[in-house]
Amino acid sequence: MADVISRADATQGRPSGDSGRLIAEPLSVDERPEITFVELLFFAYRDFTSDPDAVLAAYGFGRAHHRVVHFVNRHPGIRVADLLDILNITKQSLGRVLKQLVDGGFIEQVQGPQDRRQRLLYPTETGRALGLRLMAPQERRIADALEALSPEERQGAERFLRRVIDSDQRDMVERLIGS
Amino acid sequence: MADVISRADATQGRPSGDSGRLIAEPLSVDERPEITFVELLFFAYRDFTSDPDAVLAAYGFGRAHHRVVHFVNRHPGIRVADLLDILNITKQSLGRVLKQLVDGGFIEQVQGPQDRRQRLLYPTETGRALGLRLMAPQERRIADALEALSPEERQGAERFLRRVIDSDQRDMVERLIGS
DNA sequence: GAAATTACGTCAGCCATGTTGACATATTTT
DNA sequence: AAAATATGTCAACATGGCTGACGTAATTTC
């Protein structure tokens, strides 16, 4: 358990099975250096998203609720269609969690003043508080990670993440985050 | 659609509802600079994981299969318990997808030579090919993202991701990836 | 002013993938 | 011989994606 991968077993040549159909050679970082980042992204995101889970569980919510609460707090008055665009999910998926958030008093829908078909989404005070509470551990984690980095290294982290995003989505992200 | 957030609606002061229970003030990056990284991680990971989905769909597989195939390729002969540890999922969840991968001829289980209770996992040639095919677009994406960065910026990206990982998991990750 | 389009909601049902808890089996360790 | 370990399995359940179809109100277009 402590070792996670016991090298003795993991690199022990040909398995005793039968033919040559099995492969004992590991994919190596030496040959494919990008694997490092592939796996770091996996582990970093896994831990990063685990932060809010405990908080969410107390409310009976999941990660989907978190995402909705987050972006409504970031963009009060956002239209449903725009939220769908950001989250890349379907109306039905959003509808379920949104209903729970509205019922629970975290988000309210306001009829659009110009276009009355729209239901603009606003956080309530409770919803804002929840959003902050969910983000707090993530902010701390990010701040701790950045702390040890030089300014140019920080810039590298940010530029890297921006360029991992689909090129045709970067403008939208830039507009959402600011750049 | 093009604008995603229409500023006109999004920042239009107090919603016309009723009391002061609704909040129109956006959470801002100026006050909370870590939000930039919180959201960049979200979008980057979203797009990063979308790469292999098309390939997976052709096999009727999901992301869970991808993760298993990846780590078995990276560590041929890995024990089931170690894989569970890496993926942070339960035996039952792994069991389902592993069975499909074994039935489909992508992974084989070999009885441990020292400890015959163990079922060491190896990729078949087909499984190795699938692993490479799934990782290819991700490698390209990473390589493209790194290309524009200075050596120190690249180091910043890597150090940042390493430090986002739970501190008590960093040793394990280091052992898995090498550092 | 009628017709088309848009924004949103909803119903029904399906699927993938995570969970818990309990239990079985073979093997190794004590 | 007994205890601990590695793995598998069964049943049941929850979350959160999805599709497709349909309805309604409001707006835009012709």
Side-chain angles (χ1 to χ4, degrees):
Chain A
M1 194 72 70
D3 261 13
V4 176
I5 303 290
S6 94
R7 298 307 286 168
D9 285 358
T11 56
Q12 191 169 83
R14 234 332 101 80
S16 56
D18 45 72
S19 61
R21 281 160 42 250
L22 298 196
I23 296 184
E25 190 65 25
L27 281 185
S28 99
V29 167
D30 294 338
E31 293 162 35
R32 302 170 171 270
E34 291 85 6
I35 293 183
T36 298
F37 284 89
V38 169
E39 296 186 354
L40 283 179
L41 267 174
F42 171 72
F43 290 114
Y45 194 78
R46 183 194 66 176
D47 292 349
F48 173 72
T49 54
S50 75
D51 276 339
D53 284 355
V55 181
L56 288 163
Y59 293 84
F61 289 160
R63 288 183 190 170
H65 302 82
H66 182 192
R67 292 193 283 268
V68 172
V69 166
H70 176 88
F71 284 106
V72 170
N73 269 297
R74 279 279 282 156
H75 309 283
I78 190 175
R79 292 186 298 142
V80 169
D82 290 337
L83 191 51
L84 289 175
D85 241 43
I86 292 175
L87 300 179
N88 261 2
I89 58 174
T90 58
K91 198 168 38 164
Q92 294 75 6
S93 292
L94 174 59
R96 255 183 318 220
V97 306
L98 188 52
K99 187 176 189 318
Q100 293 174 271
L101 289 168
V102 169
D103 290 351
F106 299 94
I107 288 179
E108 286 194 19
Q109 293 166 300
V110 176
Q111 196 171 55
Q114 280 90 23
D115 186 335
R116 295 185 310 180
R117 289 171 303 181
Q118 298 174 351
R119 310 285 173 83
L120 307 182
L121 306 176
Y122 288 88
T124 62
E125 287 180 13
T126 315
R128 170 59 57 98
L130 176 59
L132 290 173
R133 193 169 156 211
L134 288 169
M135 197 164 41
Q138 296 186 316
E139 291 177 288
R140 212 173 309 127
R141 186 185 285 268
I142 298 287
D144 289 351
L146 290 174
E147 192 197 43
L149 271 56
S150 73
E152 194 181 351
E153 285 178 321
R154 293 181 195 199
Q155 184 187 316
E158 181 169 342
R159 290 189 69 201
F160 173 74
L161 290 176
R162 284 188 190 274
R163 295 177 57 86
V164 168
I165 295 168
D166 281 352
S167 55
D168 61 3
Q169 298 273 297
R170 279 180 214 154
D171 286 356
M172 160 182 149
V173 171
E174 207 169 284
R175 248 174 287 131
L176 288 180
I177 299 184
S179 128
Chain B
M1 194 71 70
D3 262 12
V4 176
I5 303 288
S6 95
R7 299 305 288 168
D9 285 357
T11 58
Q12 188 168 85
R14 207 28 57 93
S16 56
D18 45 71
S19 64
R21 284 162 38 253
L22 296 197
I23 294 183
E25 190 66 23
L27 282 184
S28 98
V29 167
D30 294 338
E31 294 162 35
R32 302 172 170 270
E34 291 85 6
I35 293 182
T36 297
F37 284 89
V38 169
E39 297 187 353
L40 284 179
L41 268 173
F42 170 73
F43 290 114
Y45 194 78
R46 183 194 66 176
D47 292 348
F48 173 73
T49 54
S50 76
D51 275 340
D53 284 355
V55 182
L56 289 163
Y59 293 83
F61 289 160
R63 287 182 189 169
H65 303 82
H66 182 191
R67 292 195 283 269
V68 172
V69 166
H70 176 89
F71 286 106
V72 170
N73 269 298
R74 278 279 283 156
H75 309 283
I78 191 175
R79 292 186 300 141
V80 168
D82 291 338
L83 192 51
L84 289 174
D85 240 44
I86 291 176
L87 300 179
N88 261 1
I89 59 175
T90 57
K91 200 168 36 163
Q92 294 73 6
S93 290
L94 175 59
R96 254 184 318 223
V97 305
L98 188 53
K99 186 175 189 318
Q100 294 175 272
L101 289 168
V102 169
D103 289 351
F106 299 94
I107 290 179
E108 284 193 21
Q109 292 166 301
V110 176
Q111 196 172 54
Q114 280 89 25
D115 186 335
R116 294 185 311 178
R117 290 170 302 181
Q118 299 174 350
R119 310 285 174 85
L120 308 184
L121 305 176
Y122 288 88
T124 61
E125 287 181 13
T126 315
R128 169 60 56 99
L130 177 59
L132 291 174
R133 192 169 157 208
L134 288 170
M135 196 164 43
Q138 296 187 315
E139 290 178 288
R140 212 172 309 128
R141 186 185 285 266
I142 299 286
D144 289 351
L146 290 174
E147 191 196 42
L149 271 56
S150 74
E152 195 181 352
E153 286 178 321
R154 293 182 195 198
Q155 184 187 313
E158 182 168 342
R159 290 189 69 200
F160 173 75
L161 290 176
R162 283 187 191 273
R163 294 177 58 87
V164 168
I165 295 168
D166 280 353
S167 55
D168 61 2
Q169 297 273 299
R170 279 180 215 153
D171 285 356
M172 161 181 148
V173 170
E174 207 169 284
R175 247 174 290 128
L176 287 180
I177 299 184
S179 129

Short mmCIF file of all heavy atoms in Angstrom, two decimals, chain A residues 21-71:
data_model
loop_
_atom_site.label_atom_id
_atom_site.label_comp_id
_atom_site.label_asym_id
_atom_site.label_seq_id
_atom_site.Cartn_x
_atom_site.Cartn_y
_atom_site.Cartn_z
N ARG A 21 1.52 -12.29 -26.43
CA ARG A 21 0.43 -11.35 -26.59
C ARG A 21 0.42 -10.29 -25.50
O ARG A 21 -0.15 -9.24 -25.67
CB ARG A 21 -0.90 -12.10 -26.62
CG ARG A 21 -1.16 -12.72 -27.99
CD ARG A 21 -2.17 -13.85 -27.96
NE ARG A 21 -3.32 -13.55 -27.12
CZ ARG A 21 -3.56 -14.16 -25.95
NH1 ARG A 21 -2.74 -15.09 -25.50
NH2 ARG A 21 -4.62 -13.85 -25.24
N LEU A 22 1.04 -10.62 -24.36
CA LEU A 22 1.05 -9.65 -23.27
C LEU A 22 2.28 -8.77 -23.34
O LEU A 22 3.35 -9.21 -23.74
CB LEU A 22 1.01 -10.38 -21.93
CG LEU A 22 -0.23 -11.23 -21.70
CD1 LEU A 22 -0.35 -11.56 -20.23
CD2 LEU A 22 -1.46 -10.49 -22.17
N ILE A 23 2.09 -7.54 -22.88
CA ILE A 23 3.18 -6.57 -22.96
C ILE A 23 3.64 -6.21 -21.57
O ILE A 23 2.84 -5.81 -20.72
CB ILE A 23 2.70 -5.31 -23.71
CG1 ILE A 23 2.36 -5.72 -25.15
CG2 ILE A 23 3.75 -4.22 -23.66
CD1 ILE A 23 1.98 -4.57 -26.04
N ALA A 24 4.91 -6.40 -21.33
CA ALA A 24 5.45 -6.14 -20.00
C ALA A 24 6.21 -4.81 -19.95
O ALA A 24 6.57 -4.35 -18.88
CB ALA A 24 6.38 -7.27 -19.59
N GLU A 25 6.41 -4.23 -21.11
CA GLU A 25 7.18 -2.99 -21.21
C GLU A 25 6.30 -1.80 -20.83
O GLU A 25 5.28 -1.55 -21.47
CB GLU A 25 7.67 -2.84 -22.64
CG GLU A 25 8.69 -1.74 -22.85
CD GLU A 25 9.98 -2.02 -22.11
OE1 GLU A 25 10.27 -3.22 -21.85
OE2 GLU A 25 10.68 -1.05 -21.79
N PRO A 26 6.68 -1.05 -19.80
CA PRO A 26 5.86 0.13 -19.45
C PRO A 26 6.00 1.24 -20.49
O PRO A 26 7.05 1.38 -21.11
CB PRO A 26 6.44 0.60 -18.11
CG PRO A 26 7.62 -0.25 -17.82
CD PRO A 26 7.82 -1.23 -18.91
N LEU A 27 4.92 1.99 -20.64
CA LEU A 27 5.01 3.25 -21.39
C LEU A 27 5.90 4.17 -20.58
O LEU A 27 5.64 4.40 -19.40
CB LEU A 27 3.63 3.88 -21.54
CG LEU A 27 2.72 3.32 -22.60
CD1 LEU A 27 1.44 4.14 -22.67
CD2 LEU A 27 3.41 3.33 -23.95
N SER A 28 6.91 4.71 -21.20
CA SER A 28 7.85 5.47 -20.37
C SER A 28 7.87 6.96 -20.67
O SER A 28 7.64 7.40 -21.79
CB SER A 28 9.25 4.89 -20.53
OG SER A 28 9.99 5.67 -21.43
N VAL A 29 8.09 7.71 -19.61
CA VAL A 29 8.16 9.16 -19.69
C VAL A 29 9.35 9.59 -20.55
O VAL A 29 9.32 10.63 -21.20
CB VAL A 29 8.25 9.75 -18.28
CG1 VAL A 29 8.64 11.21 -18.33
CG2 VAL A 29 6.92 9.59 -17.55
N ASP A 30 10.39 8.75 -20.56
CA ASP A 30 11.56 9.10 -21.36
C ASP A 30 11.21 9.19 -22.83
O ASP A 30 11.63 10.11 -23.53
CB ASP A 30 12.66 8.05 -21.16
CG ASP A 30 13.19 8.06 -19.73
OD1 ASP A 30 13.04 9.09 -19.06
OD2 ASP A 30 13.73 7.03 -19.29
N GLU A 31 10.43 8.20 -23.27
CA GLU A 31 10.08 8.19 -24.69
C GLU A 31 8.97 9.18 -25.01
O GLU A 31 8.88 9.70 -26.11
CB GLU A 31 9.63 6.79 -25.11
CG GLU A 31 10.73 5.76 -25.07
CD GLU A 31 10.16 4.34 -25.05
OE1 GLU A 31 9.12 4.12 -25.69
OE2 GLU A 31 10.75 3.48 -24.36
N ARG A 32 8.11 9.42 -24.02
CA ARG A 32 6.94 10.27 -24.25
C ARG A 32 6.83 11.27 -23.11
O ARG A 32 6.03 11.10 -22.18
CB ARG A 32 5.68 9.41 -24.32
CG ARG A 32 5.76 8.38 -25.41
CD ARG A 32 4.62 7.38 -25.34
NE ARG A 32 4.64 6.55 -26.55
CZ ARG A 32 4.00 6.84 -27.66
NH1 ARG A 32 3.25 7.92 -27.72
NH2 ARG A 32 4.11 6.06 -28.71
N PRO A 33 7.59 12.34 -23.19
CA PRO A 33 7.69 13.26 -22.06
C PRO A 33 6.37 13.95 -21.70
O PRO A 33 6.20 14.36 -20.54
CB PRO A 33 8.72 14.29 -22.53
CG PRO A 33 8.81 14.12 -24.01
CD PRO A 33 8.46 12.72 -24.31
N GLU A 34 5.44 14.01 -22.63
CA GLU A 34 4.17 14.68 -22.32
C GLU A 34 3.35 13.90 -21.30
O GLU A 34 2.43 14.45 -20.69
CB GLU A 34 3.34 14.89 -23.59
CG GLU A 34 3.91 15.91 -24.55
CD GLU A 34 4.94 15.32 -25.49
OE1 GLU A 34 5.12 14.07 -25.46
OE2 GLU A 34 5.58 16.07 -26.23
N ILE A 35 3.68 12.63 -21.12
CA ILE A 35 2.93 11.82 -20.15
C ILE A 35 2.97 12.47 -18.78
O ILE A 35 2.00 12.43 -18.02
CB ILE A 35 3.50 10.39 -20.08
CG1 ILE A 35 3.24 9.65 -21.38
CG2 ILE A 35 2.86 9.62 -18.92
CD1 ILE A 35 3.71 8.19 -21.34
N THR A 36 4.09 13.07 -18.45
CA THR A 36 4.20 13.75 -17.16
C THR A 36 3.05 14.72 -16.96
O THR A 36 2.36 14.69 -15.93
CB THR A 36 5.53 14.52 -17.07
OG1 THR A 36 6.60 13.59 -17.17
CG2 THR A 36 5.62 15.27 -15.76
N PHE A 37 2.80 15.53 -17.95
CA PHE A 37 1.74 16.52 -17.81
C PHE A 37 0.36 15.89 -17.90
O PHE A 37 -0.57 16.32 -17.22
CB PHE A 37 1.90 17.62 -18.87
CG PHE A 37 3.00 18.58 -18.55
CD1 PHE A 37 4.30 18.35 -18.96
CD2 PHE A 37 2.74 19.72 -17.80
CE1 PHE A 37 5.32 19.24 -18.66
CE2 PHE A 37 3.75 20.61 -17.50
CZ PHE A 37 5.04 20.37 -17.92
N VAL A 38 0.23 14.88 -18.71
CA VAL A 38 -1.04 14.17 -18.79
C VAL A 38 -1.43 13.67 -17.39
O VAL A 38 -2.55 13.87 -16.92
CB VAL A 38 -0.95 12.98 -19.77
CG1 VAL A 38 -2.17 12.08 -19.64
CG2 VAL A 38 -0.80 13.47 -21.21
N GLU A 39 -0.48 13.06 -16.72
CA GLU A 39 -0.79 12.48 -15.41
C GLU A 39 -0.88 13.54 -14.32
O GLU A 39 -1.72 13.45 -13.42
CB GLU A 39 0.22 11.39 -15.06
CG GLU A 39 0.12 10.23 -16.05
CD GLU A 39 0.98 9.02 -15.70
OE1 GLU A 39 1.76 9.09 -14.75
OE2 GLU A 39 0.85 8.00 -16.43
N LEU A 40 -0.05 14.56 -14.41
CA LEU A 40 -0.15 15.63 -13.42
C LEU A 40 -1.51 16.32 -13.50
O LEU A 40 -2.12 16.63 -12.48
CB LEU A 40 0.97 16.66 -13.61
CG LEU A 40 2.36 16.26 -13.12
CD1 LEU A 40 3.36 17.37 -13.41
CD2 LEU A 40 2.34 15.94 -11.63
N LEU A 41 -1.99 16.53 -14.70
CA LEU A 41 -3.32 17.12 -14.85
C LEU A 41 -4.38 16.23 -14.20
O LEU A 41 -5.28 16.71 -13.51
CB LEU A 41 -3.66 17.34 -16.32
CG LEU A 41 -3.32 18.70 -16.91
CD1 LEU A 41 -3.57 18.71 -18.41
CD2 LEU A 41 -4.16 19.79 -16.24
N PHE A 42 -4.25 14.94 -14.43
CA PHE A 42 -5.21 14.02 -13.83
C PHE A 42 -5.21 14.09 -12.30
O PHE A 42 -6.26 14.28 -11.68
CB PHE A 42 -4.90 12.59 -14.28
CG PHE A 42 -5.70 11.53 -13.57
CD1 PHE A 42 -7.05 11.37 -13.82
CD2 PHE A 42 -5.10 10.72 -12.61
CE1 PHE A 42 -7.79 10.41 -13.15
CE2 PHE A 42 -5.84 9.75 -11.94
CZ PHE A 42 -7.18 9.60 -12.21
N PHE A 43 -4.04 13.98 -11.71
CA PHE A 43 -3.97 13.97 -10.25
C PHE A 43 -4.31 15.34 -9.65
O PHE A 43 -5.00 15.42 -8.63
CB PHE A 43 -2.59 13.51 -9.79
CG PHE A 43 -2.32 12.05 -10.05
CD1 PHE A 43 -1.35 11.66 -10.95
CD2 PHE A 43 -3.06 11.08 -9.40
CE1 PHE A 43 -1.12 10.32 -11.20
CE2 PHE A 43 -2.83 9.73 -9.64
CZ PHE A 43 -1.85 9.35 -10.55
N ALA A 44 -3.84 16.38 -10.30
CA ALA A 44 -4.11 17.72 -9.77
C ALA A 44 -5.61 18.01 -9.79
O ALA A 44 -6.18 18.48 -8.81
CB ALA A 44 -3.36 18.77 -10.58
N TYR A 45 -6.24 17.67 -10.88
CA TYR A 45 -7.68 17.95 -10.97
C TYR A 45 -8.47 17.08 -10.00
O TYR A 45 -9.43 17.54 -9.39
CB TYR A 45 -8.17 17.74 -12.40
CG TYR A 45 -9.54 18.33 -12.63
CD1 TYR A 45 -9.71 19.69 -12.81
CD2 TYR A 45 -10.68 17.53 -12.63
CE1 TYR A 45 -10.96 20.25 -13.00
CE2 TYR A 45 -11.94 18.07 -12.82
CZ TYR A 45 -12.07 19.44 -13.01
OH TYR A 45 -13.32 19.98 -13.18
N ARG A 46 -8.03 15.86 -9.85
CA ARG A 46 -8.70 14.96 -8.92
C ARG A 46 -8.72 15.54 -7.51
O ARG A 46 -9.76 15.60 -6.85
CB ARG A 46 -7.99 13.60 -8.93
CG ARG A 46 -8.63 12.54 -8.05
CD ARG A 46 -7.71 11.35 -7.84
NE ARG A 46 -6.52 11.71 -7.06
CZ ARG A 46 -5.60 10.84 -6.68
NH1 ARG A 46 -5.71 9.57 -7.01
NH2 ARG A 46 -4.56 11.24 -5.97
N ASP A 47 -7.56 16.01 -7.06
CA ASP A 47 -7.48 16.53 -5.71
C ASP A 47 -8.14 17.90 -5.60
O ASP A 47 -8.79 18.22 -4.60
CB ASP A 47 -6.02 16.62 -5.26
CG ASP A 47 -5.41 15.23 -5.10
OD1 ASP A 47 -6.17 14.24 -5.12
OD2 ASP A 47 -4.18 15.12 -4.95
N PHE A 48 -7.98 18.67 -6.64
CA PHE A 48 -8.57 20.01 -6.66
C PHE A 48 -10.09 19.96 -6.51
O PHE A 48 -10.69 20.75 -5.78
CB PHE A 48 -8.18 20.66 -7.99
CG PHE A 48 -8.82 21.97 -8.26
CD1 PHE A 48 -8.43 23.11 -7.57
CD2 PHE A 48 -9.81 22.09 -9.23
CE1 PHE A 48 -9.01 24.33 -7.83
CE2 PHE A 48 -10.39 23.31 -9.50
CZ PHE A 48 -9.99 24.43 -8.79
N THR A 49 -10.71 19.02 -7.19
CA THR A 49 -12.16 18.92 -7.12
C THR A 49 -12.64 18.21 -5.86
O THR A 49 -13.82 18.28 -5.52
CB THR A 49 -12.73 18.17 -8.33
OG1 THR A 49 -12.07 16.92 -8.44
CG2 THR A 49 -12.53 18.96 -9.60
N SER A 50 -11.73 17.53 -5.19
CA SER A 50 -12.17 16.82 -3.99
C SER A 50 -12.41 17.79 -2.83
O SER A 50 -13.14 17.49 -1.89
CB SER A 50 -11.13 15.78 -3.57
OG SER A 50 -10.01 16.41 -2.97
N ASP A 51 -11.80 18.97 -2.91
CA ASP A 51 -11.97 19.95 -1.83
C ASP A 51 -13.42 20.22 -1.46
O ASP A 51 -13.80 20.13 -0.30
CB ASP A 51 -11.31 21.28 -2.24
CG ASP A 51 -9.81 21.30 -1.95
OD1 ASP A 51 -9.37 20.50 -1.11
OD2 ASP A 51 -9.11 22.12 -2.55
N PRO A 52 -14.22 20.60 -2.42
CA PRO A 52 -15.57 21.03 -2.07
C PRO A 52 -16.53 19.89 -1.75
O PRO A 52 -17.64 20.15 -1.26
CB PRO A 52 -16.05 21.77 -3.32
CG PRO A 52 -14.85 21.93 -4.20
CD PRO A 52 -13.93 20.83 -3.84
N ASP A 53 -16.11 18.68 -1.99
CA ASP A 53 -17.06 17.57 -1.87
C ASP A 53 -17.65 17.42 -0.47
O ASP A 53 -18.84 17.14 -0.32
CB ASP A 53 -16.40 16.26 -2.30
CG ASP A 53 -16.28 16.14 -3.81
OD1 ASP A 53 -16.78 17.04 -4.51
OD2 ASP A 53 -15.68 15.17 -4.29
N ALA A 54 -16.83 17.60 0.53
CA ALA A 54 -17.32 17.46 1.90
C ALA A 54 -18.41 18.50 2.18
O ALA A 54 -19.47 18.18 2.73
CB ALA A 54 -16.17 17.61 2.89
N VAL A 55 -18.14 19.72 1.79
CA VAL A 55 -19.13 20.79 1.97
C VAL A 55 -20.42 20.45 1.24
O VAL A 55 -21.53 20.53 1.80
CB VAL A 55 -18.58 22.13 1.44
CG1 VAL A 55 -19.59 23.24 1.66
CG2 VAL A 55 -17.25 22.47 2.09
N LEU A 56 -20.28 20.04 -0.01
CA LEU A 56 -21.46 19.74 -0.82
C LEU A 56 -22.30 18.64 -0.20
O LEU A 56 -23.53 18.70 -0.19
CB LEU A 56 -21.02 19.32 -2.22
CG LEU A 56 -20.47 20.45 -3.11
CD1 LEU A 56 -19.70 19.88 -4.28
CD2 LEU A 56 -21.60 21.35 -3.59
N ALA A 57 -21.61 17.63 0.32
CA ALA A 57 -22.32 16.48 0.87
C ALA A 57 -23.26 16.91 2.00
O ALA A 57 -24.36 16.38 2.15
CB ALA A 57 -21.32 15.44 1.38
N ALA A 58 -22.83 17.90 2.77
CA ALA A 58 -23.65 18.39 3.88
C ALA A 58 -24.99 18.96 3.39
O ALA A 58 -25.97 18.96 4.12
CB ALA A 58 -22.88 19.44 4.68
N TYR A 59 -25.00 19.44 2.16
CA TYR A 59 -26.23 20.00 1.59
C TYR A 59 -26.98 18.98 0.74
O TYR A 59 -28.03 19.28 0.19
CB TYR A 59 -25.92 21.21 0.72
CG TYR A 59 -25.39 22.42 1.47
CD1 TYR A 59 -24.05 22.54 1.78
CD2 TYR A 59 -26.25 23.45 1.83
CE1 TYR A 59 -23.56 23.66 2.45
CE2 TYR A 59 -25.77 24.56 2.50
CZ TYR A 59 -24.43 24.66 2.80
OH TYR A 59 -23.96 25.77 3.46
N GLY A 60 -26.40 17.81 0.58
CA GLY A 60 -26.99 16.85 -0.35
C GLY A 60 -26.78 17.23 -1.79
O GLY A 60 -27.54 16.81 -2.67
N PHE A 61 -25.75 18.02 -2.05
CA PHE A 61 -25.48 18.45 -3.41
C PHE A 61 -24.28 17.70 -3.98
O PHE A 61 -23.52 17.05 -3.25
CB PHE A 61 -25.19 19.96 -3.45
CG PHE A 61 -26.40 20.82 -3.20
CD1 PHE A 61 -26.25 22.14 -2.79
CD2 PHE A 61 -27.69 20.33 -3.38
CE1 PHE A 61 -27.35 22.95 -2.55
CE2 PHE A 61 -28.80 21.14 -3.14
CZ PHE A 61 -28.62 22.45 -2.72
N GLY A 62 -24.12 17.82 -5.29
CA GLY A 62 -22.98 17.21 -5.96
C GLY A 62 -22.18 18.26 -6.71
O GLY A 62 -22.42 19.45 -6.59
N ARG A 63 -21.26 17.79 -7.51
CA ARG A 63 -20.39 18.71 -8.23
C ARG A 63 -21.13 19.55 -9.26
O ARG A 63 -20.73 20.67 -9.57
CB ARG A 63 -19.27 17.94 -8.93
CG ARG A 63 -18.27 17.42 -7.94
CD ARG A 63 -17.11 16.72 -8.59
NE ARG A 63 -16.33 16.05 -7.56
CZ ARG A 63 -15.35 15.19 -7.81
NH1 ARG A 63 -15.05 14.91 -9.07
NH2 ARG A 63 -14.69 14.63 -6.85
N ALA A 64 -22.21 18.99 -9.77
CA ALA A 64 -22.99 19.75 -10.74
C ALA A 64 -23.55 21.01 -10.09
O ALA A 64 -23.53 22.09 -10.69
CB ALA A 64 -24.11 18.88 -11.30
N HIS A 65 -24.02 20.88 -8.86
CA HIS A 65 -24.52 22.06 -8.15
C HIS A 65 -23.40 23.07 -7.95
O HIS A 65 -23.62 24.28 -8.07
CB HIS A 65 -25.09 21.66 -6.78
CG HIS A 65 -26.20 20.66 -6.86
ND1 HIS A 65 -25.97 19.32 -6.99
CD2 HIS A 65 -27.54 20.82 -6.83
CE1 HIS A 65 -27.13 18.68 -7.03
NE2 HIS A 65 -28.10 19.56 -6.95
N HIS A 66 -22.24 22.56 -7.62
CA HIS A 66 -21.11 23.45 -7.40
C HIS A 66 -20.84 24.32 -8.62
O HIS A 66 -20.69 25.54 -8.52
CB HIS A 66 -19.88 22.62 -7.05
CG HIS A 66 -18.66 23.45 -6.75
ND1 HIS A 66 -17.41 22.91 -6.66
CD2 HIS A 66 -18.51 24.78 -6.55
CE1 HIS A 66 -16.54 23.88 -6.39
NE2 HIS A 66 -17.17 25.02 -6.33
N ARG A 67 -20.81 23.67 -9.77
CA ARG A 67 -20.48 24.41 -10.98
C ARG A 67 -21.53 25.50 -11.25
O ARG A 67 -21.19 26.62 -11.62
CB ARG A 67 -20.39 23.45 -12.17
CG ARG A 67 -19.19 22.52 -12.05
CD ARG A 67 -18.94 21.81 -13.36
NE ARG A 67 -19.86 20.71 -13.61
CZ ARG A 67 -19.64 19.46 -13.25
NH1 ARG A 67 -18.54 19.14 -12.60
NH2 ARG A 67 -20.53 18.53 -13.53
N VAL A 68 -22.78 25.14 -11.06
CA VAL A 68 -23.84 26.12 -11.30
C VAL A 68 -23.73 27.28 -10.32
O VAL A 68 -23.76 28.46 -10.71
CB VAL A 68 -25.23 25.45 -11.20
CG1 VAL A 68 -26.33 26.50 -11.25
CG2 VAL A 68 -25.40 24.42 -12.30
N VAL A 69 -23.58 26.97 -9.05
CA VAL A 69 -23.45 28.01 -8.04
C VAL A 69 -22.26 28.91 -8.35
O VAL A 69 -22.33 30.14 -8.26
CB VAL A 69 -23.30 27.39 -6.63
CG1 VAL A 69 -22.84 28.43 -5.63
CG2 VAL A 69 -24.62 26.79 -6.18
N HIS A 70 -21.17 28.29 -8.73
CA HIS A 70 -19.98 29.08 -9.02
C HIS A 70 -20.22 30.09 -10.14
O HIS A 70 -19.96 31.28 -9.97
CB HIS A 70 -18.81 28.17 -9.41
CG HIS A 70 -17.58 28.91 -9.81
ND1 HIS A 70 -16.62 29.31 -8.90
CD2 HIS A 70 -17.17 29.39 -11.01
CE1 HIS A 70 -15.67 29.99 -9.53
NE2 HIS A 70 -15.98 30.04 -10.81
N PHE A 71 -20.73 29.62 -11.25
CA PHE A 71 -20.83 30.53 -12.40
C PHE A 71 -21.97 31.53 -12.25
O PHE A 71 -21.89 32.64 -12.80
CB PHE A 71 -20.91 29.73 -13.71
CG PHE A 71 -19.57 29.17 -14.11
CD1 PHE A 71 -19.30 27.81 -13.97
CD2 PHE A 71 -18.56 30.00 -14.57
CE1 PHE A 71 -18.05 27.30 -14.31
CE2 PHE A 71 -17.31 29.49 -14.92
CZ PHE A 71 -17.06 28.14 -14.79
#
